Amino acid sequence: MSSTENASMSRGEMAAFISRLVVKSLHDYTGRGPTKARTYLNENVVTVILRDTLTAGERSLVQGGRGQMVLDIRFAFQQTMSEDMRRGVQEITGRKVDAFMSANHLDPDVAVECFVLDGVPSVRLPEEEPVE
């Protein structure tokens, strides 16, 4: 995606592209993607909230008292896929990702992916509702 294409994208379109990127990345790395994703765009922060992320095997481990093991495995996946997601967000937003943070919560099954962007945007995004 070129910087010209990025500048012509609405905030909602950008959020939708980022939601799809994160869901696809999780699916590609874990074999199952979340059922819900919502992306919020602020001036220098992109936050993606995901719901229903765990695989059947991970849910079984949680029910069996092995929740910390699932969190450790998820952390390993997040570290492994971080470069792909950073690159994708940079391409979509046209801005460098300075930092990427990721966390999971088991009950309820919610995850967050947070990207901190470099500098000040060259084009101010219009105010819009977040997109699922």
Side-chain angles (χ1 to χ4, degrees), residues 22 44-50 74-75 78-79 81-82 85-86 97-104 111-117:
V22 171
N44 290 333
V45 179
V46 175
T47 307
V48 184
I49 307 295
L50 306 159
R74 281 289 165 152
F75 183 70
Q78 289 154 342
Q79 288 181 313
M81 67 183 154
S82 69
M85 289 204 297
R86 287 172 70 115
V97 173
D98 271 347
F100 167 70
M101 293 153 281
S102 185
N104 287 80
V112 65
E113 311 295 345
C114 181
F115 303 86
V116 179
L117 306 177

Side-chain angles (χ1 to χ4, degrees), residues 17-67:
F17 273 106
I18 292 169
S19 289
R20 285 192 294 273
L21 165 79
V22 171
V23 169
K24 182 179 180 336
S25 293
L26 282 162
H27 181 270
D28 290 350
Y29 279 87
T30 68
R32 180 186 184 278
T35 60
K36 294 180 183 166
R38 181 169 274 204
T39 296
Y40 300 87
L41 299 170
N42 294 39
E43 190 167 301
N44 290 333
V45 179
V46 175
T47 307
V48 184
I49 307 295
L50 306 159
R51 295 190 180 272
D52 189 26
T53 64
L54 300 177
T55 65
E58 289 170 326
R59 286 192 300 272
S60 295
L61 288 170
V62 170
Q63 290 170 352
R66 297 288 183 90

Side-chain angles (χ1 to χ4, degrees), residues 103-132:
N104 287 80
H105 190 272
L106 299 176
D107 188 19
D109 178 1
V110 177
V112 65
E113 311 295 345
C114 181
F115 303 86
V116 179
L117 306 177
D118 181 30
V120 178
S122 56
V123 177
R124 193 150 187 107
L125 295 171
E127 291 301 316
E128 290 184 21
E129 291 296 311
V131 175
E132 284 190 54

